[in-house]
Amino acid sequence: MTTTALRVRVAELVSEATGGDVPAAAVLDGGSLVALGVDSLGLLRLVDALELEYDVEVDLGGPGGRLDTLDDLVATLAAARPDGGTAGAGPVDRG
């Protein structure tokens, strides 16, 4: 998965985490997720989705825990995965 495809998929996950209240296109346009309408419950749903899909652990309270933009989310995935978060497009096969 390319970085562009990763950005698109993460934007889709943001939209799904908000029940469609925040369109993926708005996330791709940039800016603060909170300003776009992602509330605390949406953020928790998003973290769960990222952890399940990319087999990473997202620590909101850890160093670099700021997850307020699409770029923040993509950087978190890149830092958490040895492949930079760009491999695989779907859920991790947990056998």
Side-chain angles (χ1 to χ4, degrees):
M1 177 178 272
T2 66
T3 301
T4 301
L6 177 63
R7 290 175 59 82
V8 169
R9 181 61 188 139
V10 172
E12 291 169 349
L13 289 173
V14 171
S15 183
E16 291 170 14
T18 63
D21 290 342
V22 177
V27 177
L28 287 166
D29 285 343
S32 165
L33 297 177
V34 173
L36 291 172
V38 179
D39 60 14
S40 57
L41 180 58
L43 186 58
L44 291 174
R45 288 179 180 155
L46 175 60
V47 167
D48 285 344
L50 292 171
E51 289 179 342
L52 286 172
E53 186 150 333
Y54 294 101
D55 196 28
V56 297
E57 185 174 328
V58 178
D59 182 6
L60 294 174
R66 182 173 179 267
L67 297 177
D68 192 44
T69 67
L70 179 59
D71 290 336
D72 294 338
L73 296 170
V74 170
T76 296
L77 289 175
R81 296 204 40 168
D83 61 16
T86 58
V92 175
D93 180 11
R94 297 178 188 266

